[in-house]
Amino acid sequence: MNTPPTGPQTPDQDTPDIWTLRLYVAGQTPKSITAFGNLKRICEEHLQGRYQIEVIDLLEHPQLARGDQILAIPTLVRRLPEPVRKIIGDLSNTERVLIGLDLLPRVP
């Protein structure tokens, strides 16, 4: 399931035009559905029109877990902008997700 970018793009020299995010799940479990819903909400609030979400169901494509070294599910992988970052869980902690995506500065 892909979500095409929506809305106008905002050029920025530090970040790419489109953020590429990949969410690894295993079937349509409540945790997987919650993770996708949380991710979609966070992207609409903070990356509106500048993101693409690819959902990988490991029950259908287990071989794809090896490429991103997925050890737990659900796992969100930020592929672009680099560097690649991973966030494990249902993404219900918005602040943790924003820090993981580098949308909020880390607190020392």
Side-chain angles (χ1 to χ4, degrees):
M1 171 174 21
N2 286 331
T3 302
T6 58
Q9 297 179 11
T10 306
D12 188 336
Q13 292 182 340
D14 296 333
T15 59
D17 291 340
I18 300 294
W19 286 50
T20 304
L21 306 171
R22 184 176 279 181
L23 181 64
Y24 286 92
V25 297
Q28 294 203 3
T29 65
K31 202 168 188 176
S32 298
I33 293 169
T34 299
F36 180 74
N38 287 332
L39 178 59
K40 182 81 174 168
R41 175 183 49 77
I42 291 168
C43 286
E44 282 298 312
E45 291 175 3
H46 299 277
L47 295 170
Q48 189 174 28
R50 300 184 299 136
Y51 68 93
Q52 180 175 23
I53 300 172
E54 180 180 15
V55 178
I56 305 292
D57 188 341
L58 293 179
L59 295 180
E60 296 177 14
H61 307 285
Q63 73 280 4
L64 295 179
R66 191 175 310 143
D68 278 325
Q69 300 176 338
I70 302 302
L71 302 174
I73 49 173
T75 295
L76 173 64
V77 177
R78 183 187 81 176
R79 298 177 64 83
L80 288 175
E82 292 185 352
V84 172
R85 294 191 180 261
K86 296 177 188 172
I87 303 168
I88 297 172
D90 67 5
L91 311 176
S92 59
N93 185 333
T94 301
E95 184 176 346
R96 182 174 163 252
V97 174
L98 292 174
I99 290 171
L101 291 174
D102 277 341
L103 290 171
L104 276 182
R106 296 176 191 272
V107 178

